[in-house]
Amino acid sequence: MAGSIQVRGLTKSFGAFRAVDDVTFEAAEGTITALLGPSGSGKSTVLRMIAGLEQPDAGSVWVAGEELTEASVQDRRLGFVFQHYALFRHMTVRKNVAFGLSVRRVDKGTQRERVDELLELVGLAPFGDRYPDQLSGGQRQRVALARALAPRPQVLLLDEPFGALDARVRQELRAWLDHLHRELGVTSLFVTHDQEEALELANEIVVMNHGRVEQVGPADAIYNQPATPFVAAFVGASNVLRGTVWERHVHFGHSIVAGAHEIPDGAEAIAYIRPHDIEITNEAGATSFPVAVERRTDMGWMSKLHLRLEDGQPLVAQLPNEEIVGVEAGQRLFANLRNPKVFAADRADVESVTVPGAIVAPAETQTEAQAEAQV
Amino acid sequence: MNAVSTSARANRRKARLWRALMLSVALLYVAVLLLAPLGGIIYYALKEGMGEVGHTFRQSDVRHAFYLTAIIMVVTVIVTTFFGIIVALVLARDRFVGKRLVSALVDLPLAVSPVIVGLMAVLLFGRGGWFEPFFAARGIQVIFALPSMILVTIFISIPFVIREVVPVLQELGMEEEQAAWTLGASRLQTFRRVTLPNIRWGLLYGIALSAARSIGEVGAVLIVSGSLQGQTETATLYILRAFDQYQEQQAYIVALTLASFSIVMLIGIETLKRRASREAG
Amino acid sequence: MFILLPVAAVLQSGFGNGLGNLQDALNSFGAQNAIKLTLMMAFLTAIINGVFGTLLAYIFVRVPFPGRDLLSTVVDLPFAVPTLVAGVMLVALYGPHSTVGGWLERHGIHIIFAPLGILLALLFVTLPLVVRSVQPVLIELDTAEEEAARVLGAGGLTTFRKVVFPALRPAITAGALLAFARSLGEFGAIVFVSGNIPNKTLTAPVLITQLLNPTTFGAVAGPGEAAAVSSLLFLFSFVLVLITERVSSHSLQRASEL
């Protein structure tokens, strides 16, 4: 239990707006967990409640087996990294990093050693006497991290730590945070709206929307077995196909796809298909159905195929060029759909169908697929 | 091609003319309105030479007047700074009903005539006033004595610290303080080590304004002090009396002293502030 | 916050004492003229400094020239100078025994002991109020709008009239209101310069001190009338503060919407 984070039934409203609704999850010791969700999903509020910067209306917060719900921010001994760094502008880098130690009256010698150690760790050893406004964004965030880690906190909380940085720096810091976590093994919980970041860094992902937890699980479970339509649409690019259920298959026009396991016959359903889970063949197979190729965009090692089903719904496939040699616009071929994630249509509210999720593959595919998915 | 470039040049010349015009008008206005009087008093105060200046400072009632002004200034500055910071923190950070009203109340002393402030003090603390019995019973003389002079000066000087600090606090936001909390700093520690250094310059400027205002106050203290020569006469009240009694030279000298003190103080803070921001940048 | 409680208490006492005597007070001691003079002077001050204050703010923000910082400090001078000293300065400069004053008197321009002196004193004291009210708003103003106007063919003056001025209007109004309120209550700067001639150069604040001066607090006249005039003045000021607050928060709202 040491070093683990547990929240149970956390709820918080701001006036009439319910920001966090009965959130429960656990981050095991030594792991790095992501709170993933769109803006307004309540993820930052959850993090701040764990830190004590906000008070929950209901629910409890446990760290290392100890309940912290009533404890003050100061007593919680958690490290917190802010999106906009929140470095103390009138102090040097060294003073910033040493702050948590000097507040606890640690002796100067020990302070200096620890600061040196951390500056070394974050690669900023020569910058000790600079002021925050003399550093770049990426450097400032590293200082913020060193500062949070200096007092050896039980857990590390990060609120969209790379949100204020530009894309390239974000990538660098992401790799670097990963490396840091492996070295230090501090239980970490970070908030992000960037699913790529979550999928890459986290051992466990908690997907949130509208203040509720949609799904908790490791990255591949989230990606391949989304529990709700929202998760399916938000994480990874998806094609969205609507049809009616008959005998555990979803029928759209003459095409069918399996997987409608618990949905009664006659009900409407939605199937989410990843662009790379589509197989193109020349001949009809047992489960394939006819599609027309409307456009092919060559993107180097792979291509995007804009297809249309017989009932008019669009489908975007993304396949390596070697698998689709000779495929061109105007042809009529057959498609096989793998790994469809099927949900009853009434479960998928309008929003989740049109939510633009960031994607693992190049961004272009996603926007097009989503735009076309708005049937 | 030619037509375009000539008209462009003409436009630029017109713009430059406009600017020159604006500048000269503004400069002239400032010169006549602000600088000329300042020059005037410097000239007339020092006209009789430094000997006269020395003589003025040696007079006992002048010294007492300065002494009184100094005490009032110190007490006022301490009180307005202390309460000013607290009120500024509340106004800038907390949300509560009637915040706009409090904000307007804070600005009230700026808009109200100091004469009215003096009157209010008389009504409250003078004979027949609300608080009079309370103080009379304890043998504390409020009106016609130092305490009331200090009180009215405090009232008048309240807004300055608050008005300078609030916008600074609003711009800073609370993140640095929150970061300090997560690192284990208590509220007091956070205030001392994070908030205070951050509001440093705004605070000092507000204090300087407050001090300048307190040494310059005349209307309210006139009413409240009874102007007992040598006892409850501040520097400003001395100037009033000196003029009445045709001791204009002395009045000019004391006036110039007061003005110089405030000006030096404000310029000092201004320079420090500018140097600080240059260092940080 | 508890320092503001006495303020509330004081408000009540001021009004309680004044209402009864209001009529008498207004009909005697040249009170009516004093109030009229005060209002008119304050109004003129607000207008004149409204214009010049804005001009100065504009220069500080938009027109670079050597010594600009120095000018900025000079404009803040009235904040440092005690109001009484301001009056003294004017007397020193324009008094009948000074060279400048003498010259002006000979040409029929009366400054000391005349309304013009009062006006100069008020202008002196209130100039920085307007400048400092307008300047921050001007700084925040994005030049993009003005440049767009110029690209579309508007000349300098038109651009100012149609783009800059409307955006500045709330700040200018707030500054002018502040100057007005300040002028209503000004004592120290005026008491020397005006000579306090009843019905000619006597202003309301000076009148109030005179009413209180025979310091016999048992008497019925004096404090009562003083309270009456004060209450009126006070009402004006308070209303002005509320208006200013509304105007400035409006402009803050709009600025944040921009």
Side-chain angles (χ1 to χ4, degrees), chain A residues 14-28:
Chain A
F14 291 106
F17 173 62
R18 172 129 328 166
V20 177
D21 197 352
D22 196 22
V23 167
T24 302
F25 65 85
E26 179 175 339

Side-chain angles (χ1 to χ4, degrees), chain A residues 241 250 252-258 273 278-281 283-292 307-311 313 315 332-338:
Chain A
L241 296 174
V250 183
F252 11 80
H254 295 301
S255 341
I256 60 170
V257 80
I273 323 271
I278 302 174
E279 198 188 337
I280 303 287
T281 56
E283 290 118 21
T287 48
S288 61
F289 48 84
V291 290
L307 310 164
R308 200 163 286 272
L309 278 77
E310 286 188 324
D311 70 344
Q313 295 194 68
L315 197 62
R332 291 193 159 278
L333 299 167
F334 296 90
N336 226 338
L337 305 177
R338 287 190 299 257

Side-chain angles (χ1 to χ4, degrees), chain B residues 128-140:
Chain B
W130 285 17
F131 295 150
E132 203 256 341
F134 176 79
F135 287 106
R138 281 160 183 69
I140 303 177

Side-chain angles (χ1 to χ4, degrees), chain B residues 229-240:
Chain B
Q229 183 176 340
Q231 275 196 312
T232 61
E233 194 177 63
T234 62
T236 47
L237 294 180
Y238 171 84
I239 296 175
L240 264 180

Side-chain angles (χ1 to χ4, degrees), chain B residues 31-273:
Chain B
V32 170
L33 190 65
L34 299 182
L35 290 176
L38 184 62
I41 195 179
I42 295 179
Y43 173 70
Y44 280 105
L46 302 178
K47 195 168 71 152
E48 307 291 327
M50 291 308 287
E52 183 66 25
V53 174
H55 172 246
T56 309
F57 282 129
R58 277 193 290 271
Q59 275 174 250
S60 67
D61 47 357
V62 169
R63 295 171 110 171
H64 185 82
F66 276 133
Y67 171 68
L68 213 56
T69 300
I71 293 186
I72 295 181
M73 177 188 91
V74 167
V75 175
T76 302
V77 162
I78 292 177
V79 172
T80 55
T81 305
F82 186 68
F83 283 115
I85 293 182
I86 295 178
V87 174
L89 282 171
V90 168
L91 272 182
R93 298 230 166 120
D94 296 342
R95 250 183 262 190
F96 55 90
V97 183
K99 188 163 166 178
R100 281 254 284 266
L101 183 62
V102 171
S103 184
L105 276 178
V106 163
D107 276 348
L108 188 66
L110 283 178
V112 169
S113 173
V115 166
I116 297 184
V117 176
L119 177 65
M120 297 200 293
V122 164
L123 288 174
L124 274 184
F125 298 106
R127 211 174 310 170
W130 285 17
F131 295 150
E132 203 256 341
F134 176 79
F135 287 106
R138 281 160 183 69
I140 303 177
Q141 170 80 333
V142 179
I143 290 292
F144 303 149
L146 193 55
S148 62
M149 296 163 72
I150 293 182
L151 282 176
V152 292
T153 312
I154 289 178
F155 183 91
I156 288 173
S157 312
I158 286 178
F160 293 103
V161 170
I162 300 177
R163 273 168 64 105
E164 292 297 318
V165 172
V166 165
V168 177
L169 282 176
Q170 284 174 330
E171 265 236 34
L172 288 174
M174 287 196 69
E175 280 210 339
E176 285 185 40
E177 275 89 349
Q178 289 175 342
W181 295 344
T182 64
L183 291 163
S186 70
R187 303 232 165 197
L188 191 58
Q189 277 174 315
T190 308
F191 176 76
R192 236 183 352 106
R193 298 181 60 169
V194 177
T195 317
L196 211 50
N198 279 346
I199 60 174
R200 200 168 29 194
W201 297 118
L203 184 61
L204 278 176
Y205 195 65
I207 293 179
L209 286 177
S210 176
R213 185 74 179 86
S214 58
I215 67 179
E217 179 43 45
V218 59
V221 291
L222 174 64
I223 293 179
V224 142
S225 71
S227 264
L228 301 170
Q229 183 176 340
Q231 275 196 312
T232 61
E233 194 177 63
T234 62
T236 47
L237 294 180
Y238 171 84
I239 296 175
L240 264 180
R241 185 173 58 84
F243 237 90
D244 266 348
Q245 297 176 351
Y246 295 105
Q247 289 175 288
E248 285 137 6
Q249 200 56 33
Q250 266 86 330
Y252 287 151
I253 291 174
V254 173
L256 185 60
T257 314
L258 287 183
S260 316
F261 182 76
S262 313
I263 293 177
V264 164
M265 188 168 48
L266 280 174
I267 292 187
I269 306 264
E270 186 92 7
T271 325
L272 284 175
K273 179 158 83 162

Side-chain angles (χ1 to χ4, degrees), chain A residues 48 51 53 73-74 78 80 82 84-91 99-100 102-105 133 147-148 151, chain B residues 171-172 175-187 189-190 192-194 197-201 280-281:
Chain A
R48 291 170 71 87
L53 294 171
V73 180
Q74 290 86 340
L78 307 170
F80 198 101
F82 293 79
H84 296 284
Y85 335 122
L87 293 182
F88 304 131
R89 67 192 73 199
H90 280 112
M91 299 187 205
F99 189 83
S102 86
V103 151
R104 295 194 178 108
R105 313 288 162 96
D133 57 14
R147 180 178 69 176
Chain B
E171 265 236 34
L172 288 174
E175 280 210 339
E176 285 185 40
E177 275 89 349
Q178 289 175 342
W181 295 344
T182 64
L183 291 163
S186 70
R187 303 232 165 197
Q189 277 174 315
T190 308
R192 236 183 352 106
R193 298 181 60 169
V194 177
N198 279 346
I199 60 174
R200 200 168 29 194
W201 297 118

